[in-house]
Amino acid sequence: MTAPLDRVLGARLPAPPDGLRRGPFRRGAFPSPLHSERRASRVGAWLGAAFLVCFLTGMISHLVQDAPSWFFWPARPVWLYGVTQGLHVVTGLAAIPLLLVKLWTVYPKLFEWPPAGSPSRLISRLSILVLVAAATFQLFTGLLNIAQWYPWGFFFTDTHYWTGWIAIGAVAVHVGAKAPEIRRGLARRGSPGAVAGLAPEQAAELTAEDDAAEHGAVSRRTFVLATGAGAGAVTLAMAGQTFSPLADVSLLAPRDPSVGPQDLPVRQTAERAGVTETAVDPAYRLTVAGPNPLELTLADLQGMRQHTVDLPITCVEGWSAGGTWTGVRLADLLEEAGLARDTEVTVESLQPGGLYRVSTVAPPHASSPLTLLALQLQGEPLDLDHGYPVRLIAPNRPGVMQTKWVTAVAPA
């Protein structure tokens, strides 16, 4: 009969006598009472909430950009995608100090001996390894992404997406493995739940930890306030790129929503896209495929009925900035080409390559009176970096899907 895993591990990895323990393995090596189950559980709850918001908003962005047949994304409210992506970036940044504090509360556990005394303990430790690695990778690469610095050879978007699934799966496994400790840690101090499942000496030790944390050099309240202040400061320092009233205090925001040609930031320049010559070529034509195909010059488009809308450009990096756009309604062009106004279409750019040179406009956006093939921004002809001669602007879509330098529209 096979011996239980805890007995096997205990036999192979005996705890050394107290007198032989050195450094972090000795008793009392971590005297701070804030290295406790209660603090770890409560910071972990905040961190878990931040990760959940990040995961869900990240999934929304992924589905909007690569929509399966069952997914529906509305054209209104026009600010919805900006809110979801702003939450994604802000909660991701707030998770950085929360992760550091969480690791600080539990790092003495790394020096426990034996490392794993039971199957549940082994699963818990393995899930922690995967969780910490995935969380650190997600937050670090996400931070570099919003700064537009890519010192790696992989495609960020796909890697970020799949690592997000690994991280959220590791969170679920970790919560399942540590459920009793988490329940005790989240229970109100002094309640039966706070000492449920503990031996009398463990319950006494937990109470002593709480008392020491209340009256020690760094109290529990100071610890909580410092953690909250750190996460809040990071949030305020970045949120202004999405929520303009906070722009003056968002000192760490990589984008000022009012800086750029025609008072709007630019993610992809005409030079980088390779369209500095083709976009200004007098031979430019916009083609619209359909039963009555169209081939329009810039002058033809300027002679059509113009409409003006106020719509934001919202980037996947978290910033959002509003502009006043003037141009021809996409639905009007589709109707003139003999297509239904809600036809799903693809919009193609002049740029010769790139992942976003073609975007799909779903029926809710194609038929929206707010969706334009814009010719002007802020009452002036489009700057070349903003998509001259013609660009797509549609409500409630990521900036990478607001195709610039448009040359062709066709049914999808």
Side-chain angles (χ1 to χ4, degrees):
M1 181 173 168
T2 304
L5 181 62
D6 56 343
R7 289 176 56 192
V8 172
L9 292 176
R12 291 182 180 175
L13 301 171
D18 290 347
L20 298 180
R21 294 187 184 188
R22 295 291 183 268
F25 294 98
R26 74 184 190 280
R27 290 188 182 278
F30 303 99
S32 173
L34 298 176
H35 295 301
S36 70
E37 189 175 89
R38 189 178 304 281
R39 249 59 68 194
S41 296
R42 298 192 174 188
V43 174
W46 301 342
L47 182 61
F51 264 71
L52 182 61
V53 171
C54 268
F55 179 75
L56 294 177
T57 51
M59 283 298 299
I60 288 173
S61 184
H62 173 79
L63 291 171
V64 169
Q65 295 181 57
D66 190 16
S69 59
W70 54 265
F71 182 73
F72 175 82
W73 187 249
R76 294 174 183 266
V78 300
W79 43 260
L80 181 59
Y81 181 78
V83 169
T84 63
Q85 196 60 20
L87 277 174
H88 181 74
V89 172
V90 166
T91 53
L93 291 167
I96 294 175
L98 290 176
L99 177 62
L100 293 174
V101 172
K102 169 67 173 178
L103 293 176
W104 183 86
T105 62
V106 299
Y107 81 86
K109 300 286 186 181
L110 298 174
F111 303 100
E112 286 186 345
W113 198 270
S118 67
S120 65
R121 181 67 175 158
L122 179 61
I123 293 172
S124 174
R125 302 211 105 185
L126 290 175
S127 72
I128 290 170
L129 176 64
V130 175
L131 175 57
V132 172
T136 302
F137 179 87
Q138 284 293 85
L139 297 179
F140 177 70
T141 56
L143 182 63
L144 295 188
N145 176 63
I146 63 176
Q148 295 185 20
W149 182 37
Y150 304 101
W152 49 70
F154 54 81
F155 180 46
F156 168 79
T157 302
D158 285 350
T159 306
H160 197 67
Y161 171 75
W162 289 111
T163 308
W165 278 105
I166 294 172
I168 206 69
V171 168
V173 172
H174 178 63
V175 169
K178 302 289 285 185
E181 294 93 330
I182 292 171
R183 280 197 299 269
R184 286 198 301 268
L186 296 180
R188 187 178 298 275
R189 189 165 76 93
S191 68
V195 294
L198 293 180
E201 62 273 13
Q202 291 176 307
E205 183 178 348
L206 180 63
T207 303
E209 281 183 348
D210 285 327
D211 291 340
E214 289 286 353
H215 305 294
V218 178
S219 70
R220 178 180 61 85
R221 288 186 179 87
T222 301
F223 177 79
V224 170
L225 288 173
T227 303
V234 170
T235 301
L236 286 175
M238 294 293 295
Q241 65 175 1
T242 301
F243 187 56
S244 55
L246 295 177
D248 290 341
V249 298
S250 295
L251 303 178
L252 300 181
R255 294 286 178 279
D256 184 334
S258 64
V259 173
Q262 297 174 296
D263 301 324
L264 277 182
V266 170
R267 178 66 169 84
Q268 173 79 309
T269 65
E271 183 176 1
R272 287 175 59 190
V275 298
T276 52
E277 295 182 4
T278 54
V280 297
D281 190 336
Y284 167 82
R285 297 292 186 272
L286 170 68
T287 62
V288 184
N292 307 315
L294 306 176
E295 187 173 302
L296 305 168
T297 66
L298 180 57
D300 292 334
L301 290 166
Q302 291 169 337
M304 301 178 77
R305 184 180 178 186
Q306 304 291 297
H307 300 270
T308 298
V309 300
D310 292 319
L311 287 177
I313 288 285
T314 301
C315 186
V316 293
E317 293 151 8
W319 61 262
S320 183
T324 300
W325 311 86
T326 300
V328 180
R329 282 178 177 161
L330 176 60
D332 291 347
L333 285 177
L334 298 181
E335 189 172 63
E336 189 168 336
L339 299 168
R341 297 175 71 88
D342 63 351
T343 302
E344 182 171 280
V345 295
T346 58
V347 178
E348 184 177 343
S349 173
L350 284 168
Q351 64 186 98
L355 294 170
Y356 300 105
R357 67 176 298 273
V358 177
S359 72
T360 299
V361 184
H365 300 84
S367 61
S368 172
L370 298 177
T371 300
L372 304 181
L373 290 179
L375 310 175
Q376 296 184 8
L377 171 59
Q378 321 293 31
E380 301 175 346
L382 288 170
D383 185 271
L384 189 59
D385 285 341
H386 279 307
Y388 177 89
V390 181
R391 77 165 297 158
L392 173 70
I393 185 70
N396 198 31
R397 278 163 62 94
V400 292
M401 298 178 69
Q402 308 283 37
T403 309
K404 298 192 283 189
W405 314 291
V406 174
T407 186
V409 177

